[in-house]
Amino acid sequence: MTKASDVFTLRNNNQVEVSFIARGGQITSIKVPDANGEIADVVIGYDTVEEALAGDTYFGAICGRYANRIVKGQFELNGQQYQLDTNNGPNHLHGGVDGFNLRTWEVEEVDLPQFAQAYKLSLVSPDGDQGYPGELTTIVTYGLTEDNELVIEYDAVSDKDTIINLTSHAYFNLDGAGIGTIANHQLTINADKFTPIDGEIGTVTGEIADVKDTAMNFITAKAIGEALNADCPQVKLVDGIDHNFVINGYDGMVRLAARLESPSSGRAMEVYTDQPGVQIYTGSHFDGTETGKQGKPIEKWAGVALETQIFPDSPNKAHFPEATLKAGEYYRHTCVYKFI
């Protein structure tokens, strides 16, 4: 049996290392070289496993069964109304009070030819778990390639019709965890549209809006700080960005969703996915009261999350992408973080 504190590390021949723990499949460290070969850990978190277990349980974790928010924790499926846990004001967030980020996953190393190293994480969620219908069996594969790609593949099947939306919640700072904020990072998002939010809790309105002439316009690269400091109602609602972007040309195939680059370190990361959306969150709730890596306080905008996903509240928005998983059918989601 895997223990919550068990640590696993993927390595390739380019000095890239990805470490995670069994609790939540939490990615605790991603070490990558810059153009000069200097190694830095580029995910926000903690120096020790003990701190990770006691600290923010979303850092680097697998979120589910439904990542992001479901308004009032309610949805209808096959004519039946379901009530989920509400753990984000009146809403359901990231799977509920006891989401997948808090579960201890069974972990085993697997030999797959496309990866330098890979691990398979598995979890069974019983029928009624956090209010969700169906027993859901989930397998997540973490694979590291020799092209410096961290590939996350999510597979799941349920014995009843249910809803699903899995994602990974790592926060990135390409200068290195604990080194300044991500305000100077250049961000490009392959999205002409986004889903506006309503109120400080960040629930989507249902609108699909153009990014043009808004702070959400990252069609061409710009400093994240330019948006964070913009006089924009959407930014002011959450003191930053906590928005879902509608990936251009979505057709279920893996495509470029976003690119993040640090002018200071020269490191860059591209995000690819077969999902229709990517949630960008700039960590506005960090307030310096928690101590992170290198003994540094985790401050506002210390890192940015790029969470590939189905849209928030999709079960309640008929014009949003389908989030229903039919009994016996397979959910599949691929996300690639490529370091350059």
Side-chain angles (χ1 to χ4, degrees):
M1 291 285 290
T2 309
K3 300 192 302 295
S5 59
D6 286 349
V7 181
F8 306 88
T9 301
L10 303 122
R11 298 179 176 89
N12 69 8
N13 290 317
N14 304 317
Q15 297 183 288
V16 175
E17 289 188 3
V18 179
S19 295
F20 67 95
I21 58 175
R23 201 280 306 271
Q26 261 184 282
I27 296 168
T28 54
S29 172
I30 300 178
K31 295 177 180 176
V32 296
D34 65 11
N36 298 316
E38 294 292 324
I39 306 291
D41 183 354
V42 298
V43 293
I44 304 303
Y46 307 96
D47 284 326
T48 68
V49 172
E50 292 74 21
E51 288 172 308
L53 291 171
D56 189 319
T57 60
Y58 290 126
F59 282 171
I62 299 164
C63 294
R65 292 187 189 188
Y66 199 97
N68 219 310
R69 294 170 179 87
I70 295 177
V71 175
K72 297 181 180 177
Q74 297 173 352
F75 69 96
E76 186 179 304
L77 182 61
N78 299 332
Q80 183 173 343
Q81 191 74 22
Y82 290 90
Q83 178 64 59
L84 306 175
D85 280 348
T86 52
N87 60 324
N88 182 237
N91 305 310
H92 178 83
L93 177 68
H94 293 329
V97 174
D98 186 19
F100 284 5
N101 60 304
L102 292 172
R103 308 297 172 86
T104 298
W105 294 66
E106 282 299 315
V107 182
E108 63 174 308
E109 189 167 9
V110 289
D111 185 10
L112 298 171
Q114 67 270 38
F115 299 126
Q117 203 169 357
Y119 286 92
K120 182 175 75 173
L121 300 80
S122 55
L123 180 73
V124 177
S125 172
D127 185 18
D129 190 3
Q130 311 302 293
Y132 290 96
E135 180 181 273
L136 186 78
T137 300
T138 303
I139 293 174
V140 178
T141 302
Y142 287 165
L144 180 63
T145 74
E146 294 294 2
D147 290 326
N148 300 343
E149 297 165 322
L150 171 59
V151 181
I152 305 177
E153 294 176 342
Y154 307 83
D155 292 275
V157 64
S158 174
D159 64 358
K160 293 181 182 176
D161 291 359
T162 191
I163 61 170
I164 189 169
N165 185 30
L166 304 178
T167 198
S168 176
H169 207 295
Y171 292 90
F172 297 92
N173 182 327
L174 298 181
D175 291 333
I179 301 177
T181 74
I182 43 77
N184 72 321
H185 283 36
Q186 296 283 317
L187 177 63
T188 313
I189 308 175
N190 180 25
D192 295 334
K193 298 181 184 298
F194 76 109
T195 51
I197 57 175
D198 182 14
E200 292 180 6
I201 293 297
T203 51
V204 290
T205 64
E207 182 186 3
I208 297 176
D210 286 333
V211 300
K212 187 179 178 182
D213 299 325
T214 76
M216 301 298 152
N217 188 348
F218 290 93
I219 295 170
T220 57
K222 74 177 181 187
I224 295 175
E226 187 180 326
L228 298 177
N229 296 306
D231 184 16
C232 172
Q234 286 289 306
V235 170
K236 289 181 176 179
L237 281 172
V238 287
D239 194 18
I241 302 170
D242 191 7
H243 293 77
N244 168 68
F245 289 78
V246 179
I247 297 169
N248 291 335
Y250 169 69
D251 60 1
M253 304 298 287
V254 175
R255 64 179 59 246
L256 180 68
R259 178 184 170 92
L260 186 69
E261 185 171 358
S262 164
S264 303
S265 69
R267 294 186 187 90
M269 181 183 76
E270 292 177 340
V271 184
Y272 297 83
T273 188
D274 56 5
Q275 297 298 287
V278 58
Q279 182 87 7
I280 306 295
Y281 178 46
T282 53
S284 302
H285 74 287
F286 300 145
D287 60 6
T289 57
E290 275 204 278
T291 301
K293 292 174 180 177
Q294 303 184 54
K296 303 279 185 64
I298 302 174
E299 299 177 344
K300 184 169 71 169
W301 307 336
V304 57
L306 301 95
E307 307 160 57
T308 59
Q309 57 162 19
I310 299 170
F311 299 177
D313 204 35
S314 271
N316 296 311
K317 305 285 191 291
H319 59 295
F320 278 11
E322 180 60 61
T324 301
L325 178 65
K326 296 286 189 182
E329 294 186 357
Y330 283 85
Y331 166 88
R332 186 71 185 269
H333 168 184
T334 297
C335 174
V336 180
Y337 295 105
K338 179 174 179 146
F339 297 94
I340 300 165

